[in-house]
Amino acid sequence: MASSSFSLYPSLTLVAFLLLLFPVRRTAGGCYTSIFSFGDSITDTGNLLLSNGDNCLSGRLPYGETFFGRPTGRFSDGRLIIDFIAEAMGIPFLPPSLRGGDCGGFRRGVNFAVAGATVLKNGFFRERGFDVTWTNMSLGVQIGRFKKLISFCDTERKDIFSRSLFLVGEIGGNDYYQGFLQNWSFQEVKSLVPLVINKISMAINDLIDMGAKTLLVPGNFPIGCMAAFLTYYENSKVEDYNTSTGCINWLNEFSEYHNNVLKQELNRLRYTHPDATIIYADYFNVVMNILSPANSTRLERVPLAACCGSGGGRYNYGKSVNCGSENSTVCDDPSTYLSWDGLHFTEATYKAIAKGILEGPFADPSINKACSSSNIGSVVKELAINVSKEE
């Protein structure tokens, strides 16, 4: 694999990505003692690698090179959003569920996310003529595996869940991605959104019924800024592209549609479950904030091209040459790139996203604010118990 300084724009200095390098403060430590995670490759810390072995690209360098120095099954050059959240809370990196373990390990959390996972079951896609080559670990299957795990550790469940953060997503992107790959029209892919949101809502309901108190539910990314989609839909129509960012407008409008429907459903769930804290994580606007010239001191635009990819084309992305394959190339400094491999982001980008949802303003409420409220609630409860005992 060759090293390359390929970039859509001239090389960026360290200052250009200064916002991405600010440390994520450990301010949520002591609030949540465990994390349970569900989703796809944005969150997978090794499940697909354990499932597929050598056939998994994330099991090869340069995946993992920046932080771990080796591939771990994460689809990035280093840590993911979930890793930064865990670090901020003083929790060890989440083990992939397929690694197995006992109830002792269960106390600090488990990651059920699997790269390639969809919200809708694989049968849904087969019925519509799709050649299903991705994992069968859809969101419902992941929740089912979680139920099976807690059935073995039931005596500890109530205490653990009250102090746990449940991360549900980002998921749904693969459902739409498969539709786009089949050349479905905008309206055809859009018709999947209510089905996807309904299944996400069902998963949230199930988790709350099992005792979850705090849930973090991310929206979709601006897919019109991803190198893979920019390559698939590259054209000469100036009106298709945002003049400030270079992203494709109609694809980002699709992501916003998904996010708006999701937020409406989360508001309904908050009303239905007033004792649960449901946090919306605005992944879309964190990324757009990174790309917006108005919110940065950088001299150049952040490259939309993938850091690791085919070594050619405007966005360094090709269907036949993937990051990690023999003929792929990798940029000299991933921290100056938004995209790692065309479909996933660099560690630097994930760090910025984590900071935005931990400290705000890209989470409603921010994790740290929800943590403070939770602590206050615990103190009030404890005082009430003590007063009751005195009486």
Side-chain angles (χ1 to χ4, degrees):
M1 182 159 26
S3 176
S4 169
S5 58
F6 173 89
S7 170
L8 178 59
Y9 301 104
S11 179
L12 302 177
T13 65
L14 190 62
V15 177
F17 242 55
L18 189 59
L19 288 177
L20 301 187
L21 303 180
F22 286 161
V24 177
R25 290 180 290 175
R26 187 175 289 190
T27 52
C31 183
Y32 306 110
T33 57
S34 56
I35 303 173
F36 296 95
S37 179
F38 309 87
D40 54 25
S41 55
I42 303 302
T43 314
D44 186 359
T45 54
N47 280 316
L48 188 67
L49 179 59
L50 289 168
S51 175
N52 289 9
D54 293 339
N55 294 324
C56 186
L57 287 172
S58 65
R60 310 174 193 171
L61 285 170
Y63 285 93
E65 67 173 14
T66 296
F67 181 78
F68 300 98
R70 58 181 176 82
T72 64
R74 290 167 172 79
F75 280 82
S76 184
D77 60 305
R79 291 162 291 182
L80 309 178
I81 299 166
I82 188 67
D83 295 317
F84 287 111
I85 293 174
E87 284 184 337
M89 295 179 180
I91 297 172
F93 292 148
L94 294 191
S97 61
L98 294 181
R99 186 183 293 169
D102 56 20
C103 292
F106 165 76
R107 292 190 190 98
R108 303 311 302 271
V110 183
N111 192 348
F112 293 86
V114 184
T118 53
V119 170
L120 304 174
K121 293 180 179 179
N122 286 3
F124 173 90
F125 296 96
R126 288 195 184 96
E127 290 169 4
R128 287 155 180 76
F130 285 67
D131 179 20
V132 177
T133 58
W134 57 89
T135 179
N136 65 350
M137 297 286 185
S138 64
L139 180 59
V141 174
Q142 292 176 34
I143 297 294
R145 288 179 60 82
F146 177 64
K147 288 179 180 178
K148 188 175 290 186
L149 171 67
I150 65 173
S151 68
F152 293 108
C153 310
D154 192 59
T155 56
E156 305 177 39
R157 180 175 71 182
K158 187 175 181 180
D159 183 51
I160 292 172
F161 287 6
S162 65
R163 295 176 288 114
S164 296
L165 177 69
F166 288 79
L167 177 59
V168 186
E170 179 276 334
I171 193 164
N174 286 323
D175 299 73
Y176 309 139
Y177 178 64
Q178 297 301 335
F180 283 121
L181 284 182
Q182 292 290 316
N183 293 317
W184 278 18
S185 69
F186 181 92
Q187 290 303 321
E188 285 176 313
V189 180
K190 190 177 179 181
S191 70
L192 295 177
V193 174
L195 304 177
V196 166
I197 300 301
N198 180 58
K199 291 293 184 183
I200 293 174
S201 179
M202 289 173 62
I204 293 169
N205 269 312
D206 282 349
L207 291 170
I208 292 174
D209 288 344
M210 284 185 271
K213 295 298 182 186
T214 307
L215 302 97
L216 177 66
V217 186
N220 207 341
F221 292 106
I223 60 174
C225 304
M226 292 183 167
F229 285 93
L230 285 162
T231 300
Y232 296 151
Y233 294 102
E234 185 175 4
N235 65 77
S236 57
K237 297 178 183 176
V238 177
E239 62 272 20
D240 276 4
Y241 295 86
N242 183 286
T243 55
S244 298
T245 63
C247 303
I248 295 177
N249 291 318
W250 67 269
L251 284 168
N252 281 355
E253 288 166 7
F254 175 84
S255 295
E256 289 185 289
Y257 173 70
H258 164 93
N259 293 343
N260 287 333
V261 177
L262 176 61
K263 284 187 282 187
Q264 289 172 9
E265 182 60 18
L266 294 185
N267 283 334
R268 188 190 71 79
L269 288 169
R270 289 179 183 123
Y271 180 80
T272 307
H273 302 285
D275 293 332
T277 299
I278 302 174
I279 306 167
Y280 174 72
D282 191 357
Y283 284 4
F284 183 97
N285 280 309
V286 184
V287 173
M288 296 311 296
N289 187 67
I290 293 169
L291 292 172
S292 173
N295 295 318
S296 175
T297 57
R298 59 182 172 268
L299 301 177
E300 309 282 352
R301 286 198 292 185
V302 176
L304 293 176
C307 167
C308 181
S310 64
R314 191 178 183 193
Y315 302 104
N316 194 31
Y317 182 85
K319 296 176 185 176
S320 58
V321 180
N322 296 305
C323 178
S325 61
E326 187 178 351
N327 297 317
S328 63
T329 65
V330 60
C331 66
D332 294 329
D333 184 3
S335 72
T336 62
Y337 279 72
L338 180 80
S339 174
W340 168 243
D341 60 8
L343 285 168
H344 310 96
F345 296 115
T346 61
E347 179 185 85
T349 304
Y350 286 139
K351 186 174 185 178
I353 294 170
K355 180 179 171 65
I357 62 176
L358 278 163
E359 303 170 17
F362 298 105
D364 181 22
S366 71
I367 294 177
N368 289 343
K369 186 175 180 181
C371 177
S372 299
S373 299
S374 174
N375 281 340
I376 291 169
S378 298
V379 170
V380 170
K381 242 181 227 179
E382 191 174 335
L383 286 172
I385 292 169
N386 290 337
V387 169
S388 177
K389 282 179 180 176
E390 289 172 6
E391 290 175 347

